[in-house]
Amino acid sequence: MGFLDRFRRKKDDEAARVARLLAIGRIVDGRIVDAEDDADGNVIRVFFNYNVAGVDYESSHALSPQQQSFKTRYIPGSRVIVRYDPRQPPNSTVV
């Protein structure tokens, strides 16, 4: 490990990022734009958009097994709740 590596920000894993957003994230309405299915027809990833302070954002999120059990909640065109980091609005997740 080099000297400068000590000062670099560590990358969070996905579970820690989502947990932090669920704890401190602000809530905004979003809409599912597209969904990715697996071979069994289960929705595994959603693509969504949302607006914060007049700026439109689009992102994607891999659904947890618990979220995958709600098949009709994540069909394209559905409204969803989005939690985003107020300091970095592109950092978001679907609730």
Side-chain angles (χ1 to χ4, degrees), residues 23-90:
I24 66 155
R26 299 248 171 95
I27 296 175
V28 68
D29 287 331
R31 187 164 303 273
I32 301 293
V33 177
D34 198 7
E36 185 178 306
D37 301 337
D38 64 5
D40 297 327
N42 298 319
V43 177
I44 57 172
R45 176 175 291 282
V46 292
F47 301 87
F48 59 97
N49 60 18
Y50 58 101
N51 184 297
V52 176
V55 178
D56 292 326
Y57 295 95
E58 188 169 328
S59 188
S60 67
H61 174 72
L63 297 179
S64 69
Q66 181 184 13
Q67 289 174 314
Q68 289 177 15
S69 66
F70 300 105
K71 294 181 181 187
T72 58
R73 184 181 292 179
Y74 301 107
I75 59 175
S78 298
R79 292 180 58 153
V80 290
I81 297 172
V82 175
R83 285 212 178 238
Y84 70 93
D85 185 339
R87 291 182 288 167
Q88 294 179 330

Side-chain angles (χ1 to χ4, degrees), residues 8-21:
R8 289 193 181 132
R9 230 165 69 174
K10 305 289 187 238
K11 297 282 184 186
D12 288 351
D13 64 334
E14 183 67 9
R17 184 186 75 81
V18 170
R20 188 176 65 251
L21 285 173

